[in-house]
């Protein structure tokens, strides 16, 4: 460790993956500096405050609590050292066609009863579905996602080959869930987590039923104060381990000499480094920060990748409390498959979108002034779409019509703060490729070694981390991505 301590690593970006990589490397004895483009940490999980409202800008679902516990435990810490978690019950509310509003209970016995109500016999089938999903979670999250995905040899262990068969890598999620359930509402309930993975259920491996185990068995949680509390905790931990964070430091170029990165160029000047880890958008780092001769992939390669969705978001401050809402609310009152097709198969602005409403003030009074509601609306949409103000406003009104109907009260005139956010904002704030919100789609052809490599094939001390490389999109995978890349840096440097 002492030998490594003189080496300086520059990490570009302070999202979950960048913070994870930086803290892991600092623990291994490296000097680590994070250069962050924006004025605060968190990447897509930034926070902003207006008129007494605290808005989480990005992730709002806290799933897989074990991954966060394991992350902090690596440094001899606990989640509770940094923020307070509460389990939500109900986990969330689903508004089906009809309209029919259903609370998804945290208790497994109540969940079985709910399934039975829709489809006799499905309670027992739910147990078997989740038993298989638990195995996928244990192996998929325990083994596969920690692999650097750099060589087929990583998968040559015969036990892993056996696991790969049992993980249903070659069966679609669509076919898998229909072995257990027939009722369209139950199918929507178990297929919704993959809506954000980047493909229809027909094109998503059944491996991803592990998301259902995370959702229905491990539960939905919330860090009091908002999701940014995770970022604040990770920043504190990073600084405790000696990581230096510098904000408003946009990297303009990764400087390479003789196949080696010597550092980066920012607006303020040159910063030398022994190793560079790019936690910024992979496409941007490769295509815009590297000279052409040092790029592993070309623009044609990137254009052929299947991206996960983008999002149209609205952050709203409402000057009254709203009835009939839970912390998380899924509006499945329109055609689920049509919306999925309009994201993935026939990309365009959706004709009758599903949408999601987060109302954290239902759980946490600290995120809104007294008697007010903090609302976050989200429509998953195809990446690379034009998003003029008129389009945003059209969808705002469309969503508000349905939200007002569900709540049984007028809302628009009670909105005291409103901000929209879509493709152009993702591009401007994060250099997000095609304005995507979630990274690279988790399709079979973009899994493990088929993802863009976490190590440059041309620059021997340049690495990549985050949602465009292994293991994939989402907050827990991003935490793991940082740990995996830190292990590779240590191995080779």
């Amino acid at each position: 460790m002492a030998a490594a301590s003189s080496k300086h690593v520059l990490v570009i970006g302070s999202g979950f993956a960048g913070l994870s990589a930086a803290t892991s490397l600092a623990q291994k004895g490296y000097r680590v500096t994070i250069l962050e483009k924006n004025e605060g940490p968190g990447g897509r999980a930034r926070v902003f405050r207006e008129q007494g409202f605290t808005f989480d800008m990005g992730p709002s679902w806290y799933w897989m609590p074990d991954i966060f516990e394991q992350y902090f435990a690596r440094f001899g810490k606990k989640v509770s050292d940094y923020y307070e978690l509460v389990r939500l019950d109900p986990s969330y509310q689903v508004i089906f066609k009809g309209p029919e509003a259903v609370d998804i209970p945290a208790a497994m016995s109540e969940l079985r009863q709910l399934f039975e109500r829709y489809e006799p016999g499905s309670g027992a089938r739910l147990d078997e579905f989740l038993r298989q999903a638990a195995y996928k979670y244990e192996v998929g999250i325990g083994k596969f996602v920690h692999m650097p995905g750099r060589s087929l040899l990583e998968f040559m262990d015969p036990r892993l080959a056996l696991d790969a068969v049992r993980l249903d890598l070659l069966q679609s999620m669509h076919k898998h869930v229909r072995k257990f359930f027939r009722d369209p509402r139950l199918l929507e309930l178990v297929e919704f987590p993959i809506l954000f993975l980047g493909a229809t259920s027909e094109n998503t491996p059944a491996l991803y039923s592990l998301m259902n185990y995370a959702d229905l068995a491990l539960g939905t949680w919330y860090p009091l104060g908002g999701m940014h509390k995770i970022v604040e905790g990770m920043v504190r931990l990073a600084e405790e381990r000696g990581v230096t964070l510098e904000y408003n430091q946009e990297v303009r170029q990764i400087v390479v000499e003789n196949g080696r990165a010597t550092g980066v160029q920012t607006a303020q000047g040159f910063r030398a480094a022994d190793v560079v880890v790019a936690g910024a958008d992979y496409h941007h780092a490769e295509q815009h920060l590297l000279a052409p001769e040092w790029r592993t992939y070309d623009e044609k390669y990137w254009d052929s990748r299947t991206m996960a969705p983008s999002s149209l978001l609205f952050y709203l401050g409402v000057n009254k409390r709203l009835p009939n809402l839970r912390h998380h609310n899924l509006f499945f009152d329109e055609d689920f498959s049509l919306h999925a097709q309009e994201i993935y198969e026939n990309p365009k602005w959706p004709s009758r979108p599903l949408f999601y409403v987060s109302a954290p003030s239902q759980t946490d009074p600290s995120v809104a002034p007294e008697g007010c509601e903090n609302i976050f609306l989200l429509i998953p949409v195809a990446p690379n779409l034009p998003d003029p103000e008129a389009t945003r406003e059209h969808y705002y009104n469309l969503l508000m019509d349905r939200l007002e109907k569900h709540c049984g009260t007028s809302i628009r005139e009670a909105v005291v703060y409103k901000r929209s956010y879509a493709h152009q904002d993702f591009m401007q704030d994060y250099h997000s490729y095609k304005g995507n919100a979630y990274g690279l789609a988790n399709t079979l052809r973009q899994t493990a070694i088929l993802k863009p490599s976490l190590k440059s094939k041309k620059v021997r001390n340049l690495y990549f981390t985050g949602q465009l490389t292994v293991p994939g999109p989402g907050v827990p995978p991003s935490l793991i991505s940082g740990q995996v890349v830190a292990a590779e840096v240590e191995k080779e440097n």
Side-chain angles (χ1 to χ4, degrees):
M1 185 173 287
S5 63
S6 61
K7 290 201 170 181
H8 184 211
V9 182
L10 279 179
V11 176
I12 305 170
S14 67
F16 287 111
L19 285 167
S20 171
T23 312
S24 302
L25 286 163
Q27 188 187 35
K28 295 173 189 298
Y30 295 86
R31 285 187 302 117
V32 186
T33 304
I34 296 177
L35 299 177
E36 168 57 51
K37 165 186 185 291
N38 293 306
E39 71 283 356
R44 285 164 166 77
R46 290 183 301 151
V47 67
F48 75 95
R49 296 174 179 89
E50 284 288 344
Q51 299 178 32
F53 296 92
T54 299
F55 295 102
D56 279 315
M57 293 191 71
S60 58
W61 292 80
Y62 193 108
W63 280 352
M64 307 185 186
D66 53 317
I67 304 295
F68 296 90
E69 286 292 354
Q70 288 162 20
Y71 176 77
F72 284 101
R74 289 168 72 99
F75 308 100
K77 297 288 187 177
K78 300 190 295 292
V79 159
S80 57
D81 293 332
Y82 297 96
Y83 53 89
E84 184 185 348
L85 269 187
V86 293
R87 184 167 182 177
L88 301 183
D89 189 11
S91 299
Y92 48 93
Q93 174 181 228
V94 184
I95 296 91
F96 291 117
K97 294 185 187 76
E100 174 189 10
V102 181
D103 284 335
I104 305 304
M108 192 54 67
S109 57
E110 293 175 38
L111 190 64
R112 272 190 217 100
Q113 289 170 16
L114 174 67
F115 271 62
E116 281 290 332
R117 204 167 80 220
Y118 286 125
E119 187 179 313
S122 66
R125 291 197 297 276
L126 173 66
D127 288 340
E128 176 56 21
F129 176 73
L130 289 178
R131 189 190 66 76
Q132 293 184 24
Y135 173 79
K136 292 170 187 172
Y137 186 86
E138 182 187 323
V139 176
I141 299 294
K143 296 181 188 175
F144 280 93
V145 298
H146 290 274
M147 291 181 169
R150 294 176 63 186
S151 164
L152 269 174
L153 295 174
E154 295 169 28
F155 301 88
M156 288 303 148
D157 181 333
R159 288 166 302 178
L160 282 179
L162 181 64
D163 282 336
V165 174
R166 291 177 64 192
L167 288 174
D168 279 333
L169 280 169
L170 300 177
Q171 185 183 48
S172 76
M173 185 75 175
H174 182 88
K175 191 177 283 186
H176 178 66
V177 299
R178 280 158 183 77
K179 290 178 182 174
F180 297 90
F181 314 112
R182 288 184 303 276
D183 186 276
R185 290 160 297 193
L186 297 185
L187 292 172
E188 287 179 3
L189 187 59
V190 293
E191 288 185 325
F192 102 82
I194 63 166
L195 191 64
F196 301 98
L197 291 177
T200 58
S201 65
E202 288 90 342
N203 293 324
T204 300
L207 162 69
Y208 288 102
S209 67
L210 66 84
M211 299 283 287
N212 300 117
Y213 178 75
D215 166 12
L216 301 172
L218 298 181
T220 302
W221 300 73
Y222 172 76
L224 289 175
M227 292 291 283
H228 196 259
K229 290 294 175 189
I230 313 166
V231 174
E232 290 174 19
M234 290 180 70
V235 167
R236 265 177 55 204
L237 176 60
E239 291 176 337
E240 286 162 9
R241 289 294 176 276
V243 175
T244 301
L245 285 99
E246 298 182 25
Y247 303 111
N248 299 306
Q249 291 281 347
E250 181 166 5
V251 172
R252 304 281 174 83
Q253 183 189 357
I254 298 170
V255 180
V256 181
E257 294 175 14
N258 302 317
R260 217 185 133 69
T262 57
V264 304
Q265 193 74 36
T266 72
Q268 285 76 19
F270 177 74
R271 308 291 293 270
D274 297 294
V275 177
V276 175
V277 176
D281 179 274
Y282 196 139
H283 167 270
H284 171 74
E286 229 224 0
Q287 299 297 302
H288 297 283
L289 303 186
L290 281 175
E293 64 268 26
W294 304 120
R295 297 170 192 165
T296 300
Y297 308 104
D298 58 17
E299 200 60 56
K300 187 178 171 190
Y301 167 87
W302 284 108
D303 193 49
S304 69
R305 297 305 89 190
T306 303
M307 303 308 296
S310 187
S311 297
L312 171 57
L313 305 163
F314 296 98
Y315 308 99
L316 305 178
V318 182
N319 68 7
K320 65 180 183 179
R321 300 311 299 267
L322 299 178
N324 303 329
L325 282 185
R326 304 289 182 260
H327 189 121
H328 298 295
N329 309 269
L330 296 164
F331 280 76
F332 290 171
D333 50 340
E334 292 286 5
D335 188 333
F336 191 95
S337 60
L338 174 66
H339 189 163
Q341 283 168 16
E342 290 173 340
I343 297 175
Y344 303 120
E345 315 281 306
N346 179 23
K348 61 180 178 182
W349 280 99
S351 44
R352 298 201 302 277
L354 311 182
F355 69 104
Y356 158 65
V357 179
S358 177
S361 44
Q362 291 279 323
T363 304
D364 184 357
S366 75
V367 299
E370 191 174 349
C372 296
E373 207 80 82
N374 175 324
I375 300 288
F376 167 104
L377 308 178
L378 180 153
I379 309 176
V381 291
N384 216 26
L385 297 176
D387 60 344
E389 193 55 42
T391 300
R392 297 184 185 202
E393 201 59 18
H394 165 77
Y395 283 96
Y396 173 71
N397 284 307
L398 191 149
L399 265 52
M400 292 304 273
D401 286 345
R402 286 155 66 187
L403 186 60
E404 288 180 338
K405 185 178 175 185
H406 173 69
C407 292
T409 182
S410 60
I411 301 173
R412 269 167 275 213
E413 69 269 21
V415 172
V416 292
Y417 178 79
K418 173 187 169 191
R419 177 182 177 183
S420 67
Y421 200 94
H423 304 73
Q424 292 303 319
D425 303 292
F426 282 105
M427 290 179 194
Q428 182 178 312
D429 289 352
Y430 313 119
H431 296 300
S432 169
Y433 183 53
K434 296 184 177 180
N436 83 82
Y438 301 97
L440 201 66
N442 268 336
T443 61
L444 193 53
R445 292 179 181 175
Q446 294 182 163
T447 297
I449 59 167
L450 302 177
K451 287 185 186 290
S453 176
L454 61 72
K455 168 83 188 288
S456 168
K457 291 183 168 63
K458 294 187 177 178
V459 183
R460 59 183 176 274
N461 59 338
L462 172 61
Y463 299 80
F464 298 88
T465 188
Q467 55 188 11
L468 289 178
T469 182
V470 291
V475 178
S478 292
L479 287 185
I480 293 167
S481 182
Q483 295 166 20
V484 171
V485 85
E488 293 298 291
V489 169
E490 183 184 37
K491 200 188 299 178
E492 297 178 349
N493 296 272

